[in-house]
Amino acid sequence: MTIRILPAVGDPDAARTVSGLLSQLPDAEPAPAVADSTALVDALAAAAQGVGAQAPAGPAAAVEALPEVVLVHERIGPTPALELIREVALRFPAVGVVLITADAGPALFSAAMDAGARGIVGLPLGYDELAARVQAAAQWSAGVRVHLGGNPDAAPGPSGTLVTVTGAKGGVGTTVTAVHLALAARAAGRSVALVDLDLQSGDVASYLDVQFRRSVVDLAGISDISVRVLQDAVHDHHTGLGLLLAPEEGERGEEVDDRAARQIIGALRSRYEVVLVDCGSQMQSANAAAVELADVALLVTTPDVVAVRAAKRQVRLWDRLQIRKAEETTTVVNRLTRNTEIQPPLVAKATGTQVARTHVPAAFKELQPCVDAGRMQDLDGRSTVKQALWALAGELGLVDAPAARQGRGSHRARPSLTGRKRKAVTAGAAPGSGTGPGPAPGAVPGSAAGSGSRFGARRGSAAAAGGPGPFDPAGPYEEG
């Protein structure tokens, strides 16, 4: 979000200082400083009325034409600063006003808040404090404009999409899933932050070949995370991802509590369009807060009894602690093979969660070279694992639909031919072989060779005889 700022500073030296600092703020659009209170009110009135004269719009357009933040210097005149703040707050309630003053004591702070200011910046000016107050006032202004009818698509406060990835247990592919969802969103042109909140055993740095001395712990003790502090803690990876890593010393993870996690995630969501959080498999206060705040909470499991039971325990834990309901959780089935006994519908029934339509196949041989080299970003685009994970990103809305369809590629579209069916195709369709126009005797409906079913005919005598299979009497599971 671009922050339009109008400074009102009467002192020329102070005006130059303010303009210089504002020019360094990211996503800021500072206007030339006005010299007195009359010029400030006239400029705001002209902005509100100018749009109405050019476009057939009413109050909504007038609100949207105003700057988000107004800076008022204590020495502005002829109207005193506090009276000017009160007038601006009454006439232009969608504008966040910040007072610049040398006296930042509690008495003046209380008076400024009563007048309608959204913050105070002390003199001499500092970049971090100014950036924090401007961003806070801009977020407040965005929220007010939603209620006043200006820019209804804007969301108050943090606007980035938060996606958490949690493992049912260790080793189910949580970090690989988080990394590739982040890479897919970045390839779609979005700004992405990847956060490692597996505080004791996080491996995001190992999977992306990163050595960086800063970590999420460095932000835990900061009460007001400014833009510069956040930039110092986030590693800019060459893929375009912003990485906030877990500490190398696992015992330091205890320094990140739920309050710190909420503040860190809020700061990241105000700077990035997508925030991916790897929560690991162990629930602590920090990653529990992330799951609670998430727009999308993914739970990764493998199709085996131990992992599905662990996923069920995890979902029940979230429900008992009132972190997240089962129906609000999306389960991702990883390492699914053609011969897997536990099908995705059974996972959904056991956990009570939604199961993602996109499942990730078991193909560790494709991953092993990149895992061993620590360069997961170099995974071949023809990899079925990468195609499935990028298709999952499309299903979650992290990439555009065309990219998602492209990622679904070969592992879904090409039904495999067994040796018996291949021989039948080569020799010609014999009557009753199951490859002709009619179904073979005893075949399960919908499991013919040309049906495109992902798992083919179900094994076992009950399925072969057309009777009920072990999990789904209606036939093999097909993806939506």
Side-chain angles (χ1 to χ4, degrees):
M1 179 184 74
T2 301
I3 304 174
R4 293 166 296 177
I5 308 170
L6 177 59
V9 185
D11 184 8
D13 294 334
R16 284 192 293 270
T17 303
V18 170
S19 299
L21 290 175
L22 293 178
S23 64
Q24 301 177 31
L25 296 181
D27 300 329
E29 188 178 295
V34 295
D36 55 53
S37 58
T38 304
L40 172 63
V41 174
D42 291 345
L44 294 175
Q49 296 175 1
V51 174
Q54 298 174 7
V63 168
E64 193 59 29
L66 292 169
E68 284 77 16
V69 180
V70 167
L71 301 178
V72 176
H73 193 270
E74 62 178 355
R75 295 183 181 177
I76 197 71
T79 305
L82 293 181
E83 293 184 14
L84 177 60
I85 292 174
R86 184 175 291 105
E87 182 179 359
V88 172
L90 290 174
R91 293 184 58 182
F92 312 100
V95 175
V97 185
V98 177
L99 175 63
I100 302 175
T101 178
D103 179 15
L108 181 61
F109 182 85
S110 178
M113 295 302 104
D114 291 341
R118 302 307 309 170
I120 291 181
V121 180
L123 292 172
L125 288 175
Y127 174 86
D128 292 341
E129 184 181 11
L130 180 62
R133 298 294 170 263
V134 166
Q135 285 194 340
Q139 290 181 1
W140 175 87
S141 175
V144 171
R145 294 175 189 220
V146 171
H147 297 290
L148 292 179
N151 192 12
D153 296 330
S159 58
T161 301
L162 176 60
V163 180
T164 59
V165 185
T166 307
K169 67 181 189 66
V172 296
T174 308
T175 302
V176 172
T177 301
V179 168
H180 272 285
L181 289 179
L183 291 172
R186 183 70 191 100
R190 301 189 177 184
S191 58
V192 182
L194 177 58
V195 186
D196 196 347
L197 277 186
D198 188 1
L199 298 174
Q200 292 186 351
S201 55
D203 285 326
V204 168
S206 300
Y207 277 89
L208 291 175
D209 192 22
V210 173
Q211 293 181 353
F212 192 60
R213 62 187 181 90
R214 299 287 188 185
S215 72
V216 65
V217 175
D218 296 307
L219 298 177
I222 300 176
S223 58
D224 193 359
I225 301 176
S226 65
V227 177
R228 180 167 294 181
V229 170
L230 191 64
Q231 290 174 342
D232 290 340
V234 174
H235 173 72
D236 294 327
H237 197 253
H238 65 84
T239 58
L241 299 178
L243 304 180
L244 187 56
L245 305 174
E248 292 186 2
E249 304 84 4
E251 65 274 12
R252 296 196 62 194
E254 298 179 356
E255 301 177 26
V256 185
D257 55 10
D258 57 340
R259 182 202 60 80
R262 292 175 187 275
Q263 187 173 10
I264 292 169
I265 291 173
L268 290 170
R269 294 180 72 182
S270 67
R271 298 289 305 137
Y272 294 90
E273 296 177 83
V274 178
V275 178
L276 262 296
V277 181
D278 180 0
C279 294
S281 58
Q282 298 295 323
M283 275 293 101
Q284 299 170 340
S285 59
N287 46 25
V291 173
E292 183 180 2
L293 295 172
D295 299 306
V296 179
L298 299 181
L299 182 61
V300 182
T301 185
T302 49
D304 56 84
V305 173
V306 176
V308 173
R309 285 177 176 172
K312 186 176 181 179
R313 287 196 303 269
Q314 189 76 272
V315 171
R316 288 181 173 180
L317 174 64
W318 289 352
D319 185 65
R320 288 195 306 271
L321 299 179
Q322 297 183 354
I323 295 173
R324 201 170 194 90
K325 296 180 180 179
E327 56 269 21
E328 298 174 352
T329 304
T330 302
T331 300
V332 178
V333 181
N334 189 23
R335 300 176 192 157
L336 191 66
T337 64
R338 193 176 297 274
N339 301 322
T340 300
E341 288 294 330
I342 297 181
Q343 299 287 334
L346 182 60
V347 176
K349 182 178 180 181
T351 60
T353 63
Q354 305 176 24
V355 174
R357 296 189 304 272
T358 305
H359 315 305
V360 185
F364 184 72
K365 288 184 179 180
E366 301 174 358
L367 294 174
Q368 188 169 6
C370 296
V371 171
D372 293 341
R375 296 184 61 83
M376 190 56 61
Q377 67 273 17
D378 293 340
L379 185 62
D380 194 334
R382 294 171 294 181
S383 165
T384 57
V385 175
K386 181 174 181 178
Q387 291 174 354
L389 289 173
W390 286 44
L392 176 62
E395 181 180 337
L396 299 176
L398 302 181
V399 301
D400 297 332
R405 289 194 294 268
Q406 181 180 0
R408 290 180 180 235
S410 58
H411 78 283
R412 290 175 51 97
R414 297 195 303 266
S416 176
L417 294 178
T418 63
R420 183 182 302 173
K421 292 178 181 177
R422 188 179 295 111
K423 181 183 295 186
V425 170
T426 304
S433 64
T435 58
V444 179
S447 62
S451 65
S453 172
R454 181 173 181 178
F455 299 109
R458 197 181 291 276
R459 297 190 177 189
S461 58
F471 302 112
D472 188 1
Y477 173 75
E478 295 183 3
E479 287 189 53

